[in-house]
Amino acid sequence: MFEVAYETTFCATHVLHEGGRPIEPQHGHDWRVEVVAAADSLDAIGVVVDFEHLKKAVADVAARFHYKDVNSHPDLRGVSPSAEVMARYFFQEVKKGMGQEGRRLKRVRVW
């Protein structure tokens, strides 16, 4: 198994909520995101995915939140934006952004 990872950061605020009510005050983080692609074999040029495609897809998703309030993002309205929810969002969106190569996404870690 071969893996390649890209890590980035973005600064954003958020509030966790339950039943539409905040369960903590609004606060900010320097969010860190790591996205990993994997394959059992390397392609003809010796890579799992084109690293520049991975980097761009992750950066494009992170840019949606940088210096913003995560709760105000249209795709996350009504969702309590925990780190786990953000990991799921990044996984889905990076996978889409990578086209065919997205099938090689293995995991996303957010902290």
Side-chain angles (χ1 to χ4, degrees):
M1 176 69 65
F2 302 94
E3 295 184 348
V4 62
Y6 180 70
E7 182 181 313
T8 194
T9 61
F10 63 94
C11 301
T13 61
H14 77 138
V15 176
L16 295 180
H17 54 83
E18 185 174 17
R21 300 175 66 120
I23 60 172
E24 64 182 1
Q26 182 181 37
H27 60 282
H29 294 282
D30 289 330
W31 299 75
R32 295 178 70 120
V33 179
E34 178 189 57
V35 178
V36 178
D40 290 327
S41 61
L42 303 178
D43 71 8
I45 63 167
V47 300
V48 170
V49 295
D50 183 320
F51 190 76
E52 290 303 315
H53 292 168
L54 178 63
K55 184 176 171 182
K56 181 179 183 331
V58 174
D60 287 350
V61 177
R64 299 174 193 176
F65 301 104
H66 195 49
Y67 293 129
K68 297 177 182 159
D69 176 20
V70 171
N71 296 80
S72 68
H73 191 279
D75 291 341
L76 297 174
R77 287 220 173 99
V79 177
S80 187
S82 63
E84 295 84 352
V85 166
M86 294 300 288
R88 179 179 62 201
Y89 183 82
F90 266 81
F91 188 91
Q92 293 167 342
E93 295 298 305
V94 170
K95 185 175 182 177
K96 278 192 249 177
M98 291 190 67
Q100 281 288 73
E101 288 180 305
R103 73 188 188 288
R104 293 198 163 177
L105 249 55
K106 181 175 182 182
R107 70 175 174 272
V108 173
R109 185 168 62 146
V110 173
W111 70 101

